[in-house]
Amino acid sequence: AQSVAQPEDQVNVAEGNPLTVKCTYSVSGNPYLFWYVQYPNRGLQFLLKYITGDNLVKGSYGFEAEFNKSQTSFHLKKPSALVSDSALYFCAPDATDKLIFGTGTRLQVFP
Amino acid sequence: EPEVTQTPSHQVTQMGQEVILRCVPISNHLYFYWYRQILGQKVEFLVSFYNNEISEKSEIFDDQFSVERPDGSNFTLKIRSTKLEDSAMYFCASRSGEGRFTQPQHFGDGTRLSIL
């Protein structure tokens, strides 16, 4: 079965510090990879994607993600966290035109 | 920036009743989707729709569910006879036709469906 693992339910980080939200996946083929963010009472907002090429991709709000094919991972990173980054983050491989979601990781950035 | 719009934001329905959830996808998008998220659980794929027909559906999407694009702008999800376990947040999404599936899906804010 296809699946996504986000091993940390919550990540806590101080404002200004770097952050990493981890994601590994088990999806057949070479799926396109996406990160989404969800703020309270809102839908899923696209952050960034990996399609092909450079393993480090950049997205919205200063976020970037690193693709590792051998480890089937796609970790989300940001060099300097902001309090406003606090939200729920979802890694989502695209398995032939449907997104597979994990349980999400809640990012809490403290002032 | 164009948005996916879903109505209503909250729907309360008696068990056994029919419910229709409505979505207006981004205007030039060609691929349409429904997902749902039961409280505290993962977001789950329900169905994809392209060229006026279902492309793929999940095991959740049984005979009680149907989708329709009745005109050029709306995309609806109908649950014919609701059950308690249908209570969830339902998200509509749409995707551009450019570059095959390299483009992201864009999501609405969801409809919270509560079955009593």
Side-chain angles (χ1 to χ4, degrees):
Chain A
Q2 302 184 109
S3 63
V4 174
Q6 292 181 241
E8 299 147 321
D9 289 337
Q10 180 155 326
V11 169
N12 299 314
V13 64
E15 189 173 34
N17 282 0
L19 69 88
T20 299
V21 180
K22 295 179 182 176
C23 170
T24 58
Y25 59 92
S26 175
V27 175
S28 56
N30 295 305
Y32 300 145
L33 302 168
F34 297 84
W35 274 99
Y36 284 85
V37 60
Q38 187 177 30
Y39 296 99
N41 301 314
R42 299 299 306 274
L44 298 154
Q45 185 176 335
F46 167 69
L47 266 185
L48 51 73
K49 65 181 180 182
Y50 174 81
I51 304 300
T52 188
D54 192 352
N55 288 345
L56 186 66
V57 293
K58 295 187 187 298
S60 308
Y61 313 119
F63 282 93
E64 54 193 30
E66 187 166 18
F67 168 63
N68 186 314
K69 185 172 183 176
S70 63
Q71 296 183 1
T72 59
S73 67
F74 189 51
H75 300 331
L76 181 70
K77 302 183 180 191
K78 187 173 182 182
S80 179
L82 298 172
V83 172
S84 57
D85 293 331
S86 298
L88 189 56
Y89 290 81
F90 292 93
C91 174
D94 188 324
T96 58
D97 197 32
K98 62 176 180 283
L99 294 172
I100 309 294
F101 288 91
T103 50
T105 298
R106 186 163 301 281
L107 174 66
Q108 193 72 46
V109 181
F110 295 95
Chain B
E1 186 174 324
E3 292 184 340
V4 175
T5 306
Q6 290 186 244
T7 54
S9 57
H10 191 191
Q11 173 81 46
V12 182
T13 302
Q14 292 287 334
M15 186 172 59
Q17 295 297 304
E18 175 184 286
V19 66
I20 297 176
L21 309 183
R22 302 181 191 279
C23 170
V24 179
I26 294 173
S27 63
N28 62 345
H29 284 188
L30 301 179
Y31 298 87
F32 312 108
Y33 311 83
W34 285 99
Y35 292 82
R36 80 172 184 189
Q37 185 179 29
I38 295 172
L39 189 63
Q41 298 186 23
K42 298 179 186 181
V43 177
E44 302 172 287
F45 168 79
L46 291 179
V47 66
S48 57
F49 190 87
Y50 170 70
N51 201 25
N52 279 320
E53 59 183 32
I54 290 174
S55 306
E56 186 172 353
K57 57 185 180 180
S58 70
E59 292 176 355
I60 303 166
F61 195 89
D62 61 22
D63 292 344
Q64 295 300 314
F65 290 85
S66 62
V67 289
E68 192 177 34
R69 188 157 162 80
D71 53 42
S73 59
N74 291 283
F75 180 51
T76 61
L77 173 70
K78 182 194 291 187
I79 308 175
R80 191 166 56 197
S81 178
T82 50
K83 308 182 190 71
L84 293 175
E85 54 264 36
D86 293 328
S87 295
M89 180 73 90
Y90 288 80
F91 292 107
C92 172
S94 68
R95 189 206 298 256
S96 160
E98 296 176 24
R100 191 110 172 122
F101 303 127
T102 63
Q103 298 304 314
Q105 296 182 26
H106 293 265
F107 286 77
D109 284 344
T111 293
R112 181 167 299 285
L113 178 62
S114 300
I115 308 300
L116 305 179

